[in-house]
Amino acid sequence: MAVLDKGIWYPNKEEHELSVIDTFTLSKAIEAGRYHLYISLACPFAHRPYGVINYLGLEDVVSISSVAPERYEDGWLFNEEYPDEINQTKNLVELSTLSHPTYSGKVTVPILWDKVHNVIIGNDSASLAMDFATRWLPLAKNKFNLVPENYKDEIIALNEWLHSNVNRRVYNFGFAQDQKTYNTSSEIFFDALEILNARLKKSRYLFGDDITLSDLFLMPTLVRFETVYEIHFKANKQRLNSFESLYRYMLDLMAIPSLRKTVDINHSKLHYYISHKHINPTGIVPAGPIIAW
C-alpha cells in the first residue's frame, strides 16, 4: 500500500511505517450539493457508501465520480474518461495534498470532499456508509431504514466480522507471499461463506426480509468473486454457486436496479488484472468468465 508521508509520495511504503497517520472528521452539516464522493468502481470498500447512496436515492444530494480503472506507481489516476471535474487534479495524491499539503496516510478511495471548504472530510468506507445510511436518511428519496435501532449493535458487529473474515480476508490470501498465509486465510474465508450460507437458508437477507447495511457490506465481495477473486486471487476452493443460499441472495440483490447499477464488471477486471503486477505481471485481462447475472 503506497502512502503519503508529510506530503511526500512513497509508492512502496506501508502505512505502519509512518510516524503519524492523519485522520478526518465527518462534517456535522448535512447539505445537498455540498459534498462529492470519489470512488473507484473496482473497489469493494468504496462500493459500501456508493451502494448506500444509490439504494437510498441520494445521488442528487451527493455527487459521485470514479477514478480510472488502472492504478500505477502514481496511485489512483484520473483520465479523459474518468476525470476529476471537481478539482481538475490528475490523481488522488494530488487531490490529497491539495486538501492537506503535509498529509500522512494512505491515499485511496473512498474520499468525501467538502466543496465549500475544499478539503477531504472522510476516507473510511465503513464510517461513510454508516453516516449516509443514518444521518443522511432525511434527504433520501427512498427512506429505507438500513440500520434499524433494534438491530443496530448486531449490524455493527456483523459488519466488523464481515470486514475481517470476508471483505478483507480475500485480499489476505490473494496477496499472500507464502503457502501458509494463503492456506490459513483461504480457510477462514471459505468457512465464513459456509456460515453466511447457513444463515441465509433461514432468511432472505442477513437480518430477515429487509435489506440492512450489512447486506451492502457483503454484496461488494460477492459480485467480484466469479470475475476476479476466483481466478486472480486463487479463491477457488469452492465455486460461489456451490453456496446455494448465498448465491440466491446475491442474485436477489442484483435484481434490484439501484444496486445492479453500482456494479461495473469490466472496470473491476481492468483494475485488478492490470494494476496488480505482482500477481499478474503480463497485465493480460481474461476474456471471461461469462456470468449468469
Side-chain angles (χ1 to χ4, degrees), residues 1-263:
M1 174 67 72
V3 295
L4 277 168
D5 189 358
K6 299 179 178 65
I8 300 174
W9 176 243
Y10 292 91
N12 297 308
K13 199 169 188 175
E14 299 293 332
E15 193 175 30
H16 70 264
E17 298 177 67
L18 300 175
S19 58
V20 61
I21 298 174
D22 293 318
T23 58
F24 302 101
T25 302
L26 292 174
S27 173
K28 294 180 180 179
I30 306 298
E31 297 178 21
R34 176 171 173 173
Y35 303 101
H36 182 81
L37 184 69
Y38 290 96
I39 65 166
S40 163
L41 290 166
C43 177
F45 304 101
H47 202 162
R48 295 167 174 175
Y50 182 36
V52 172
I53 287 172
N54 273 268
Y55 186 64
L56 295 182
L58 287 166
E59 307 99 309
D60 296 332
V61 176
V62 180
S63 57
I64 301 170
S65 66
S66 175
V67 293
E70 301 87 356
R71 186 182 186 278
Y72 302 115
E73 282 214 343
D74 289 338
W76 294 101
L77 310 175
F78 299 105
N79 62 17
E80 288 186 5
E81 186 177 0
Y82 297 95
D84 176 11
E85 295 183 343
I86 303 301
N87 292 292
Q88 291 74 50
T89 61
K90 63 182 180 181
N91 56 40
L92 291 193
V93 172
E94 188 176 318
L95 181 72
S96 297
T97 54
L98 176 66
S99 172
H100 296 78
T102 59
Y103 173 70
S104 292
K106 62 184 180 180
V107 180
T108 190
V109 287
I111 285 174
L112 187 62
W113 183 268
D114 183 338
K115 291 186 281 188
V116 172
H117 296 297
N118 292 317
V119 292
I120 296 169
I121 61 166
N123 68 346
D124 179 78
S125 65
S127 298
L128 286 169
M130 177 63 77
D131 201 54
F132 287 129
T134 54
R135 293 200 306 129
W136 287 78
L137 191 57
L139 296 185
K141 287 184 289 188
N142 309 315
K143 299 188 187 303
F144 301 121
N145 188 359
L146 292 172
V147 191
E149 195 61 36
N150 57 320
Y151 284 128
K152 184 175 182 178
D153 291 343
E154 292 179 67
I155 288 170
I156 291 170
L158 182 57
N159 289 355
E160 291 174 353
W161 182 87
L162 288 169
H163 180 83
S164 176
N165 294 283
V166 179
N167 307 138
R168 178 57 63 186
R169 187 63 58 179
V170 72
Y171 281 82
N172 293 154
F173 66 84
F175 289 165
Q177 297 295 306
D178 61 82
Q179 193 67 51
K180 182 179 179 181
T181 300
Y182 170 85
N183 290 346
T184 300
S185 290
S186 178
E187 286 297 319
I188 292 171
F189 177 80
F190 282 98
D191 286 350
L193 295 191
E194 290 281 10
I195 292 168
L196 291 165
N197 190 59
R199 181 175 183 141
L200 290 164
K201 285 180 181 178
K202 303 172 184 177
S203 64
R204 184 176 184 185
Y205 301 114
L206 291 173
F207 285 94
D209 292 331
D210 297 316
I211 292 173
T212 65
L213 187 59
S214 294
D215 297 298
L216 302 186
F217 271 53
L218 176 55
M219 182 189 75
T221 298
L222 298 182
V223 299
R224 288 164 175 79
F225 188 99
E226 294 169 290
T227 53
V228 176
Y229 300 148
E230 184 177 355
I231 305 166
H232 188 56
F233 281 174
K234 306 178 184 69
N236 59 0
K237 181 182 177 183
Q238 289 178 250
R239 301 297 301 273
L240 187 61
N241 60 12
S242 70
F243 301 96
E244 292 184 8
S245 297
L246 189 60
Y247 202 75
R248 179 274 308 159
Y249 161 84
M250 181 190 70
L251 295 180
D252 278 357
L253 292 173
M254 287 298 94
I256 300 170
S258 62
L259 294 180
R260 182 63 181 85
K261 71 183 288 188
T262 67
V263 177

